[in-house]
Structure formats: structure tokens, C-alpha cells
Amino acid sequence: MKPVRSLARVMLSGIFVVSGARNLRNPERLVQAAEPVTGKVAPLIQNVHPRIPTDTVSLIRANAATQLVGGLMFATGRFTRPAALVLAATLIPTTAAGHAFWNNDDPAARNNNQIHFLKNLGLLGGLLLAAADTEGKPGLRWRAGHRIDHSRRSVKRAVRTARREAKIAVRSAATARRMPG
């Protein structure tokens, strides 16, 4: 199954690597579409840290760089689950800014944006599946529960052993007292 996962990761990450590189080089072409979203996000970012640049071009570049790096990490199998989550997070503002079909009056533009919106929704679903995929290995929750169960069994065994040895010691002491010395 590993080759299938590897191929699927490369295929899924391709759009992020290509569009991330393209948008990093030329963010100006997206400014008009992105401004409604960045206008809402910028005050939130300023509240978190006032030194972070919140102009539209900087936010587009940050999103693009994140998609490029996240896409490369995902494609190469490095930190795939966190990379998938990061890519999913970058897809939300990208989709809201670039494919707001509900704002289109032109039926052709509305249809085109609706198709791209649904495509991005499918990508988001694939990324969420990839983020949940443990590649056949037990997840952290299972491993923690398994470790706890193993520890409980070990403690129970130790208690049984201690009781058994205490009984043996009591019998030995009783036998030693009864024996004439």
C-alpha cells in the first residue's frame, strides 16, 4: 500500500506546489479577489501580533509559501499528517477568496467558480483523510491506551506475585517457628 499512498500524496500535493510557487512569484494578480478575505483576517492577525505584516500582498505571499512548503513536505512524505492539516488550513481562505461563486451575477462565471469551489472542497476532504491516515500504524490514541492497558496488567501481575511471595514467606515463618531449634 505504500506505493499507492506515495503516488496519491504526490498527485494531491501537485496543485499546492505549482500554485504556491506561482502565487509567491506573482501575488499582485490575486489582490483584488483576496482583499475581501484579507480585510477580515488582518485585524485578527494584528490582535495576535502587531508586527506581522497584514497587507494583502504579504498575506497572499505567506499563504503561497505555506502551500509550497507544505506541498513539498506532503509530496516527499515528511510530516505528512501535519502538512496535510496545514494545506487544508490554507485552502479555506484560498477558496473563499478565489471561488466565491455566490457573489457572481454572470451565470458562466458563477458556474466556473462553483466547479472550482467544489473541486477545492474535494481537495479539502482528501487532505483531511490524509491528516487522519496513520499509514496502517496504530494512532497515538491507540498506542497510549495500549500502553496504559499493558501497564495495568503489569501492575496486577506484580501485585499477584507480591501476594504469593508474602504467603510463602508467612508459611515459611510459621513452619520455622514450629520446628524445634
Side-chain angles (χ1 to χ4, degrees):
M1 193 69 152
K2 179 89 170 138
V4 173
R5 276 191 179 92
S6 298
L7 180 62
R9 280 196 303 262
V10 169
M11 292 168 66
L12 188 55
S13 68
I15 186 74
F16 296 100
V17 173
V18 171
S19 65
R22 182 179 298 144
N23 297 340
L24 195 57
R25 281 192 310 263
N26 187 12
E28 291 78 17
R29 65 185 184 80
L30 302 172
V31 169
Q32 185 179 356
E35 278 180 339
V37 173
T38 59
K40 293 175 184 173
V41 173
L44 299 172
I45 295 171
Q46 284 294 312
N47 287 341
V48 172
H49 200 289
R51 288 189 178 167
I52 296 175
T54 56
D55 62 287
T56 303
V57 171
S58 296
L59 292 175
I60 291 170
R61 279 199 171 116
N63 193 52
T66 304
Q67 286 185 343
L68 177 62
V69 172
L72 289 171
M73 288 173 57
F74 189 68
T76 59
R78 304 283 184 227
F79 303 105
T80 55
R81 294 175 74 192
L85 282 176
V86 168
L87 289 173
T90 66
L91 197 55
I92 294 167
T94 300
T95 304
H99 306 299
F101 65 92
W102 51 90
N103 292 335
N104 292 117
D105 295 329
D106 176 30
R110 181 182 186 90
N111 186 48
N112 186 41
N113 276 327
Q114 189 174 30
I115 288 169
H116 285 293
F117 180 87
L118 292 171
K119 172 204 48 138
N120 284 6
L121 201 59
L123 286 171
L124 181 62
L127 290 168
L128 293 177
L129 279 173
D133 181 27
T134 60
E135 298 186 22
K137 300 172 192 164
L140 186 59
R141 181 177 175 190
W142 184 89
R143 288 185 295 191
H146 185 71
R147 181 58 39 209
I148 289 168
D149 289 344
H150 178 63
S151 297
R152 284 182 186 152
R153 286 192 305 271
S154 295
V155 168
K156 285 180 182 179
R157 270 195 304 271
V159 167
R160 281 194 308 262
T161 302
R163 284 182 183 159
R164 193 176 326 114
E165 289 177 358
K167 285 179 184 178
I168 292 170
V170 167
R171 281 188 215 135
S172 296
T175 305
R177 260 189 283 160
R178 279 188 260 147
M179 292 178 79

